[in-house]
């Protein structure tokens, strides 16, 4: 197997309890040609000290402690500037890579051509203490997904519904370079990443559980459905981008359904200004 360099960018913000395990999971891959870049986004707990301990034990780690908090998207871009790999993994400091994650990703990419830019897999959801909760895709007795998972041209599917587990994603660096990195105006990155990358690149699915997604009380992901959440406005911005990217009627219909869902959610969360924005965007599609 050809072994191109893979850059794992581990982003930390107040994950003192979990960051060492995340970094170790990156270092202990069965695939050898890896660089680990840790970015601490000005944590206010003892994350910095925990990361420093790991750097002392593993001096090959590239560590970027940021002087002020700039948010996930901008912090990732700082790490991306230091990345020399042909492939990238965005690893949150509370998640865990299975040892074979990178090896399986490289194997998947080498089985297809360069029109494929993103690889993703199944994941295990675990509690803060690491106890099993569930799998992202239900599995059978052989560990395979019991239902078909979309791959190939998934642009229309990512508009329609959430089906990719974010921590499982591994992508070609050229994909994110063409996008200019993550959009720093957004509160979260994954929906925008999927939309913009899937417009130009195909996705390949690895039917294995390769990542542990930790469910942490009060995490950013859990706050996205709260009133006045910045996540809600970020979703609207991505939907506006989609409206300028659609090429056929089925994609337009998928966006209509997405907008109707977001309108319902905005009303339920009393975000009436945002509701009006969505209504205007929905009207413009006609």
């Amino acid at each position: 197997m050809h072994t191109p360099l893979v850059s794992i960018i581990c982003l930390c913000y107040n994950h003192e309890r979990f960051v060492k395990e995340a970094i170790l999971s990156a270092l202990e891959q069965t695939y050898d040609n890896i660089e680990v870049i840790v970015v601490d986004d000005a944590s206010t707990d003892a994350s910095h000290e925990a990361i420093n301990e790991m750097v002392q034990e593993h001096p090959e780690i590239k560590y970027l402690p940021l002087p002020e908090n700039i948010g996930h998207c901008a912090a990732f871009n700082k790490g991306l500037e230091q990345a020399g790999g042909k492939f990238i993994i965005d690893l949150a400091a509370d998640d865990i890579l299975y040892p074979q994650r990178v090896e399986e990703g490289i194997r998947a990419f080498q089985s297809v051509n360069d029109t494929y830019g993103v690889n993703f897999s199944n994941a295990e959801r675990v509690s803060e203490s690491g106890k099993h909760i569930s799998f992202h895709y239900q599995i059978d007795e052989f560990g395979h997904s019991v239902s078909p998972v979309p791959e190939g041209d998934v642009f229309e599917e990512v508009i329609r519904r959430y089906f990719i587990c974010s921590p499982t994603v591994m992508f070609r660096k050229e994909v994110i370079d063409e996008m200019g990195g993550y959009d720093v105006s957004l509160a979260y990155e994954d929906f925008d990443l999927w939309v913009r990358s899937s417009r130009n690149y195909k996705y390949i699915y690895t039917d294995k559980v390769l990542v542990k997604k930790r469910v942490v009380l009060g995490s950013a992901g859990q706050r996205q459905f709260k009133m006045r959440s910045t996540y809600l406005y970020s979703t609207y911005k991505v939907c506006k981008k989609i409206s300028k990217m659609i090429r056929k009627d089925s994609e337009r219909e998928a966006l209509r359904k997405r907008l109707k869902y977001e309108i319902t959610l905005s009303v339920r969360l009393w975000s009436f200004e945002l509701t009006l924005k969505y209504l205007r965007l929905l009207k413009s599609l006609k």
Side-chain angles (χ1 to χ4, degrees), residues 76-90:
F76 173 85
N77 289 346
K78 292 290 186 183
L80 185 64
E81 291 172 1
Q82 304 297 317
K86 185 176 180 180
F87 298 92
I88 305 291
I89 288 178
D90 176 353

Side-chain angles (χ1 to χ4, degrees), residues 141-155:
E141 59 187 301
F142 303 106
H144 300 146
S145 173
V146 298
S147 301
V149 177
E151 56 182 338
D153 181 357
V154 298
F155 178 74

Side-chain angles (χ1 to χ4, degrees), residues 190-249:
D190 48 14
F191 186 31
D192 185 57
L193 169 67
W194 301 334
V195 166
R196 291 200 285 158
S197 63
S198 65
R199 180 74 289 179
N200 298 318
Y201 290 90
K202 296 176 184 176
Y203 279 43
I204 181 169
Y205 172 64
T206 297
D207 192 17
K208 295 182 179 182
V209 179
L210 296 176
V211 175
K212 290 184 180 181
K213 166 65 177 173
R214 201 186 302 269
V215 179
V216 179
L217 184 65
S219 67
Q222 292 188 341
R223 294 195 301 269
Q224 63 181 302
F225 298 115
K226 302 293 184 181
M227 291 178 62
R228 294 180 292 276
S229 169
T230 55
Y231 276 62
L232 298 176
Y233 284 88
S234 292
T235 300
Y236 169 72
K237 289 181 179 179
V238 178
C239 287
K240 282 195 68 176
K241 292 182 183 183
I242 295 170
S243 70
K244 299 175 182 178
M245 298 166 65
I246 51 180
R247 297 173 181 168
K248 54 187 180 180
D249 289 342

